Amino acid sequence: MVCLGNICRSPLAEGILQSKVSTDAVFVDSAGTAAYHVGNLPDERSVEVARKYGIDITTQKARKFTVKDFDNFDVIYAMDDSNYQHIILLARNTEEHQKVKMVLNETQPDQNFSVPDPYYGESQGFEKVYKMLNEACDIIANNFIRK
Ligand code: 4NP
């Protein structure tokens, strides 16, 4: 799960998806395309909305997406257009390019909708992001072995 800072959207996506699939079956992680917040905990507003739905994301620490992630992951979900462009520029071949998907295409196929960046907004923005990601992760989880 990849966003810009790895403190708002992608930590939520990681926590939500991991809550729906067995850790034995699927390894879920998140990263940011920018390094501003490397080593930081998720944003308190993401922590709060996750906690509200019974998910603890406080064990996560922000890291930057690297080209090695193409070796370690089968699917790479971008939260928005700009993350997507950034990641595909790092792809070394067609196979890697094809691993990159827009996460909301799970709920709205082929639309390339972006998860809005809630960083500069109000806490309702985090609730909205949670709901979008929860729906997308339901579909992703159904493709694996659900807990
Ligand atoms: P995220 O949100 O990409 O969902 O983690 C942001 C976090 C930090 C910044 C922008 C977006 N920032 O500009 O520091």
Side-chain angles (χ1 to χ4, degrees):
M1 297 295 187
V2 183
C3 63
L4 176 64
N6 192 208
I7 56 166
C8 297
R9 293 165 292 177
S10 60
L12 269 179
E14 177 188 337
I16 294 167
L17 183 58
Q18 195 67 81
S19 77
K20 297 178 193 290
V21 292
S22 154
T23 44
D24 295 338
V26 189
F27 179 67
V28 186
D29 197 9
S30 64
T33 57
Y36 323 126
H37 297 281
V38 167
N40 291 359
L41 286 172
D43 187 286
E44 192 51 41
R45 296 163 295 176
S46 285
V47 170
E48 272 311 306
V49 76
R51 185 179 291 140
K52 178 176 163 189
Y53 292 101
I55 297 170
D56 178 15
I57 61 168
T58 60
T59 56
Q60 297 185 34
K61 278 212 173 80
R63 71 173 181 91
K64 191 168 188 275
F65 182 85
T66 76
V67 72
K68 280 192 113 187
D69 287 311
F70 285 110
D71 301 328
N72 298 333
F73 294 92
D74 300 316
V75 187
I76 295 162
Y77 285 109
M79 299 293 122
D80 70 28
D81 237 21
S82 148
N83 312 145
Y84 180 87
Q85 296 303 332
H86 192 112
I87 300 162
I88 57 165
L89 279 178
L90 296 175
R92 294 163 293 193
N93 52 50
T94 315
E95 192 198 341
E96 291 182 354
H97 192 297
Q98 285 170 349
K99 287 184 175 186
V100 191
K101 299 176 191 301
M102 292 286 279
V103 71
L104 292 186
N105 279 353
E106 296 291 337
T107 37
Q108 288 126 317
D110 306 320
Q111 299 298 306
N112 297 326
F113 288 140
S114 290
V115 179
D117 181 350
Y119 186 65
Y120 293 105
E122 310 278 315
S123 62
Q124 299 107 289
F126 286 75
E127 180 79 27
K128 193 172 151 194
V129 164
Y130 184 93
K131 289 190 169 143
M132 289 174 162
L133 290 173
N134 191 45
E135 282 181 22
C137 289
D138 263 334
I139 294 171
I140 298 167
N142 283 337
N143 296 328
F144 296 102
I145 306 156
R146 208 169 236 283
K147 247 187 196 171

